[in-house]
Amino acid sequence: MIHKAEGGSSAPIANELKIEPASPTSSDTLSARYTFSSRDLLPEQGSEIAWYQNLVLVPDLTGSSVPPDRVRRGESWYVTIRPYDGRLWGRLVTSAPVTIANSLPSVANPAISPAQPRTGDLELDGYMDYESEKEL
């Protein structure tokens, strides 16, 4: 359905709204992806984006992405967009939810210490576990 305003203008449309990556982990940035269209050929201007974590609005997240430090394993996220073309607001669109999976732990700049290790002397430096779980 196309919304018409006085003077024959049509409201813009946001299509194919989705969150990428489709199967995110706790080390991923969530990104809202969609296509914007305006029958009046007006550019997108100030569309409203809102992110929801476990069905609750996160009011300070109003941009097209969520940084990895804001997501945790097991959370459910979805995003909404209300397109705007500078004249008219379009219909609110909601993405499918995604569930955050656990990230694999990683090691940055691994080093063996001491240089001449003996049994029981091994230490790992640079170990990172995004879920703050003790692995060793």
Side-chain angles (χ1 to χ4, degrees):
M1 170 183 242
I2 297 172
H3 302 283
K4 293 255 183 197
E6 289 184 35
S9 294
S10 297
I13 299 169
N15 286 313
E16 303 171 26
L17 176 61
K18 62 184 174 182
I19 296 174
E20 291 183 346
S23 299
T25 67
S26 54
S27 61
D28 289 326
T29 295
L30 304 181
S31 297
R33 301 283 187 236
Y34 60 95
T35 57
F36 175 89
S37 62
S38 168
R39 286 197 163 188
D40 300 328
L41 303 177
L42 296 171
E44 182 175 14
Q45 297 182 32
S47 295
E48 289 180 348
I49 297 174
W51 289 90
Y52 292 79
Q53 174 191 40
N54 297 327
L55 303 176
V56 177
L57 174 66
V58 183
D60 63 317
L61 293 176
T62 58
S64 62
S65 64
V66 176
D69 65 338
R70 299 292 299 267
V71 300
R72 297 285 177 265
R73 176 187 58 189
E75 293 174 341
S76 176
W77 285 82
Y78 69 92
V79 63
T80 63
I81 183 161
R82 188 170 172 220
Y84 185 62
D85 64 10
R87 272 199 250 166
L88 296 173
W89 289 99
R91 191 173 286 227
L92 183 75
V93 179
T94 303
S95 75
V98 295
T99 300
I100 309 301
N102 195 14
S103 292
L104 296 175
S106 66
V107 176
N109 304 315
I112 296 177
S113 175
Q116 301 284 326
R118 292 181 287 207
T119 303
D121 286 347
L122 185 62
E123 266 184 41
L124 290 178
D125 292 327
Y127 178 80
M128 176 66 156
D129 180 4
Y130 288 97
E131 301 304 323
S132 300
E133 295 172 351
K134 186 80 171 159
E135 297 290 332
L136 293 175

